[in-house]
Amino acid sequence: MKKAAVLMILALQGFQLFAQTPAASDSVLTNPGVMITIALILIILVIAVYLVGIKVNNLVKVVRERRIRNDARYLAKSLDELSAGEVREELIKRKQALDFKLSNTELSGENAPDDKKGLLHNVAEVNTPRFIAAKKKAVKRPDIDPKLTKLILWYLGSATLWLVLGTSVGEYLGIKFVSPDVDHVSWLSFGRLRPVHTNMVFWGWSSLAMIGLGYYVVSTVSNTVVASLKWGWYALYLINASVILGSISLMAGINNGGGEYREYIWPIMLLFAIGLVITLINYLQTIARRKTKEIYISNWYIVAAVMFTIVIALVGYLPFWQNGLGETIAQGYYMHQGVGMWFMLFNLGLIYYFLPQQLNTPIYSYSLGILAFWTQILFYTLIGTHHFIFSAIPWWLQTVAIIGSMGMLIPVFAGTTNFLMTFRGNFHKIGSSYTLPFYLVGIIFYFTGSSQGTAEAFRSANLYWHFTDFTVAHSHMTMYGIIAFMLWASIYTLVPRLTGKEPRQSFVGAHFWMALIGLLFYTVPLMIGSTLRGIAWQEGKPFIDSVVLMAPYWLWRAIGGSLMWASHLIFAYNLYYMIASKEATDLQKTVFEELNKLPANTSKQ
């Protein structure tokens, strides 16, 4: 322990936390923050290549209903044209064919076949192409309250609507970077649409999806029913109303003007806050009625997230300290706590239930989960002002934020270790599951995105990246790579159990790969371009030169954003398919239906 402590102290001394001094080397590649970021990007790319490799043969099964109908009609017609004796003979032949078994020596001699490399797949499957890996279906829980199911599906449906609308606005904003003069309408200006995009995906998509999933998790791990479904509906109405009114007011130029993510004026944000208070009371009353002695860790995270968010809203909107530097400090607290203590904390609570349940494996370490919980509360609440390094904010407060950012490595490492060790022995299940890849990607970005946030907090790294698009890339790596992927994983896990309907595997695969590849196209070029832009600023080059420099990287941003946006349309269809689609056509059942439609043919009896 003494050696570890000494090594840590020496390592910390290498980072210039307490002095505004130039880097020891002129090369940006030797900067600690840049080196950490490059390593994290390489980790993502290596894992992405690995996932592509194991998913190549896992194409999804597409069975066209029209083809099934045509095959059924053809088969029924063929049977109708045969006499009873002929039908009997054909059935006997078919039974003999089905009962026939090879001796395994026809081509290979007396030796048993050896398939250690797994070259033979699905050899008994005759209805679908054999190169398609079948995915395991969800097991429907038999005792889910239909009223609770309806409430959850409305939350998820509303959230998906805001995801599509919000990212459609984001897609348009990405196009503006490539073609700035695409329009001259005040309502469509970047300054108005950008907060519409961020607030819609924050408070509409992510928040509603989390709360809806939370109603299932809180009641399930408590082994009881939700205290009040009526209050759940009230919260749904209030939050949707706040997003609708907030989006209209922002486009009209009516805003709070107080900073990022709190552009809604206070009467509109009050609706959201009331919805949170109702949700918190509902969750607490549900937990109070639990049939189990312990409170499972998922409920720790979920309830703490709602409690912190109510406090965050009060800090961000009460006017007592909203002047001068006080407003800037409050803004840093509000913005960062919204990400870490609302979205991250809540999603971790969901993952602590859904991931072990999906793997059919207990969580690796309850103690690691508790460690991550308390250390996140300790360190994350300190780091908001690391977005204002080299500002007029007191130097000691900036240093506290940097140290808190480094402390965040503890919950990140603890949580990542916990999730990956839960995966241990279950990685082979990824190929037969359409949900586990989403979980794995969310966990990978949880580690890389959070660690990159620590690297970005260093003063030496801030010299390059402050005021550049690097922050945009980082925010998408976390809010999209972590939060969105974890929410999609949870939704694809839960909804089939609520409705009994599976999504089409090909569409889930398209959603996954388009979202992942789009995110990499979006973030990696922006990080590279922003680093070059920061270097150009430090060298004293004209600002317009850095704008020209970013043009190709903004094009990649638009390409990646387009892939991400298209994947959301596919996800919306998948959710609709799981909720409102008709039951899959069964060939055997359809054959008998077609036979019953044919007129009786007594002459062949």
Side-chain angles (χ1 to χ4, degrees):
M1 292 297 293
K2 290 181 180 179
K3 292 181 179 178
V6 171
L7 288 174
M8 181 172 291
I9 292 172
L10 292 175
L12 294 180
Q13 289 177 348
F15 303 120
Q16 300 166 9
L17 299 177
F18 300 96
Q20 187 176 354
T21 57
S25 172
D26 294 334
S27 174
V28 67
L29 295 178
T30 61
N31 186 285
V34 176
M35 293 174 65
I36 293 173
T37 299
I38 292 174
L40 294 173
I41 292 173
L42 290 176
I43 290 173
I44 296 175
L45 294 176
V46 169
I47 295 175
V49 171
Y50 170 76
L51 289 175
V52 170
I54 66 174
K55 286 287 186 176
V56 165
N57 290 325
N58 295 337
L59 303 176
V60 262
K61 175 173 63 175
V62 177
V63 181
R64 300 183 183 277
E65 186 172 341
R66 181 181 302 174
R67 182 177 178 181
I68 293 178
R69 292 282 180 187
N70 292 337
D71 291 345
R73 291 191 187 98
Y74 175 78
L75 181 56
K77 185 178 179 181
S78 300
L79 292 174
D80 183 63
E81 292 175 352
L82 298 174
S83 64
E86 291 173 326
V87 171
R88 176 179 172 79
E89 291 178 3
E90 291 295 328
L91 291 176
I92 291 174
K93 290 180 181 179
R94 180 57 181 161
K95 185 176 185 306
Q96 291 174 343
L98 292 174
D99 292 340
F100 176 77
K101 295 184 183 298
L102 294 174
S103 63
N104 293 329
T105 61
E106 284 79 6
L107 298 177
S108 61
E110 298 296 331
N111 296 326
D114 191 359
D115 187 31
K116 293 181 179 179
K117 293 185 177 181
L119 298 177
L120 303 178
H121 293 289
N122 305 324
V123 294
E125 182 62 56
V126 295
N127 294 324
T128 58
R130 296 181 184 179
F131 61 86
I132 295 179
K135 306 292 184 181
K136 293 182 179 178
K137 295 185 177 181
V139 179
K140 184 177 180 181
R141 294 174 62 91
D143 53 353
I144 300 175
D145 184 2
K147 294 181 180 179
L148 175 61
T149 296
K150 183 178 180 181
L151 176 65
I152 294 173
L153 293 179
W154 269 98
Y155 267 96
L156 299 181
S158 301
T160 304
L161 174 64
W162 294 123
L163 172 67
V164 172
L165 292 178
T167 53
S168 296
V169 175
E171 167 71 4
Y172 188 64
L173 292 174
I175 293 174
K176 277 179 173 285
F177 276 91
V178 181
S179 179
D181 297 326
V182 67
D183 70 72
H184 299 281
V185 182
S186 60
W187 279 55
L188 300 179
S189 62
F190 185 90
R192 297 191 185 185
L193 285 183
R194 199 269 179 176
V196 170
H197 162 66
T198 55
N199 285 275
M200 198 175 283
V201 295
F202 266 48
W203 314 125
W205 150 241
S206 299
S207 298
L208 284 174
M210 291 189 313
I211 294 173
L213 294 166
Y215 271 109
Y216 179 84
V217 173
V218 169
S219 59
T220 300
V221 300
S222 301
N223 196 23
T224 187
V225 297
V226 174
S228 174
L229 293 177
K230 184 183 295 186
W231 281 32
W233 286 105
Y234 290 159
L236 176 66
Y237 300 148
L238 288 169
I239 295 174
N240 274 309
S242 70
V243 179
I244 294 172
L245 296 175
S247 301
I248 295 173
S249 68
L250 290 178
M251 293 186 71
I254 304 170
N255 58 73
N256 183 46
E260 197 172 21
Y261 310 143
R262 57 171 177 162
E263 291 89 353
Y264 287 172
I265 57 177
W266 72 263
I268 293 176
M269 197 61 185
L270 181 62
L271 298 177
F272 183 86
I274 295 173
L276 283 186
V277 172
I278 292 174
T279 302
L280 176 61
I281 295 173
N282 216 1
Y283 284 170
L284 289 175
Q285 289 184 346
T286 303
I287 295 172
R289 301 178 183 182
R290 67 188 184 279
K291 303 294 178 59
T292 56
K293 182 179 179 181
E294 295 83 6
I295 299 177
Y296 183 62
I297 191 171
S298 288
N299 284 349
W300 285 48
Y301 278 89
I302 291 172
V303 169
V306 184
M307 293 172 64
F308 267 101
T309 308
I310 295 172
V311 174
I312 292 164
L314 292 174
V315 171
Y317 278 86
L318 289 178
F320 311 128
W321 42 74
Q322 304 293 337
N323 52 18
L325 287 179
E327 182 175 10
T328 304
I329 296 171
Q331 166 59 28
Y333 176 85
Y334 174 89
M335 172 185 61
H336 228 300
Q337 303 318 297
V339 174
M341 303 307 289
W342 172 231
F343 299 111
M344 190 68 72
L345 209 59
F346 203 118
N347 268 275
L348 290 174
L350 297 177
I351 296 303
Y352 269 104
Y353 170 75
F354 282 115
L355 179 62
Q357 201 276 337
Q358 192 72 352
L359 290 172
N360 196 25
T361 302
I363 194 70
Y364 172 71
S365 172
Y366 202 89
S367 299
L368 275 178
I370 299 298
L371 172 65
F373 176 80
W374 287 113
T375 50
Q376 177 148 343
I377 290 176
L378 172 62
F379 291 114
Y380 210 104
T381 50
L382 304 176
I383 69 176
T385 50
H386 77 196
H387 282 269
F388 304 108
I389 303 298
F390 302 119
S391 69
I393 290 175
W395 192 259
W396 67 266
L397 187 57
Q398 299 177 36
T399 303
V400 168
I402 296 171
I403 295 174
S405 301
M406 296 183 65
M408 272 302 297
L409 293 176
I410 298 174
V412 170
F413 278 58
T416 304
T417 301
N418 215 2
F419 298 142
L420 291 180
M421 293 301 287
T422 304
F423 254 109
R424 184 182 60 174
N426 294 286
F427 283 99
H428 66 280
K429 297 179 181 179
I430 295 175
S432 60
S433 172
Y434 56 80
T435 60
L436 291 180
F438 285 93
Y439 287 107
L440 186 58
V441 168
I443 294 167
I444 292 169
F445 276 106
Y446 174 55
F447 173 74
T448 55
S450 301
S451 300
Q452 189 275 320
T454 297
E456 191 178 357
F458 298 152
R459 286 194 175 99
S460 56
N462 235 262
L463 287 171
Y464 295 103
W465 293 331
H466 198 46
F467 295 124
T468 69
D469 289 88
F470 199 98
T471 305
V472 178
H474 170 65
S475 63
H476 281 78
M477 182 184 292
T478 52
M479 281 300 300
Y480 196 90
I482 305 172
I483 306 303
F485 271 87
M486 286 185 174
L487 287 176
W488 288 327
S490 302
I491 291 171
Y492 281 129
T493 298
L494 178 60
V495 175
R497 297 178 182 176
L498 298 178
T499 64
K501 300 172 184 175
E502 300 283 335
R504 292 185 176 179
Q505 295 178 13
S506 57
F507 283 74
V508 177
H511 170 208
F512 173 81
W513 287 112
M514 290 173 67
L516 178 58
I517 295 173
L519 179 60
L520 294 176
F521 281 0
Y522 189 108
T523 55
V524 175
L526 278 186
M527 290 181 181
I528 296 172
S530 298
T531 303
L532 296 176
R533 193 179 199 187
I535 294 173
W537 288 351
Q538 283 196 301
E539 293 175 351
K541 294 182 179 179
F543 180 80
I544 191 62
D545 289 355
S546 68
V547 176
V548 175
L549 169 71
M550 287 298 297
Y553 302 102
W554 284 334
L555 177 60
W556 276 108
R557 167 183 176 155
I559 295 172
S562 298
L563 285 172
M564 295 155 68
W565 173 72
S567 75
H568 304 159
L569 300 180
I570 298 174
F571 165 69
Y573 173 78
N574 289 342
L575 184 65
Y576 169 80
Y577 189 84
M578 289 187 287
I579 296 174
S581 67
K582 295 181 180 179
E583 213 172 305
T585 305
D586 182 78
L587 178 59
Q588 183 177 354
K589 183 179 178 182
T590 308
V591 169
F592 285 104
E593 289 176 356
E594 294 296 332
L595 281 172
N596 291 331
K597 294 178 183 178
L598 295 173
N601 192 346
T602 57
S603 62
K604 296 181 180 180
Q605 302 300 321

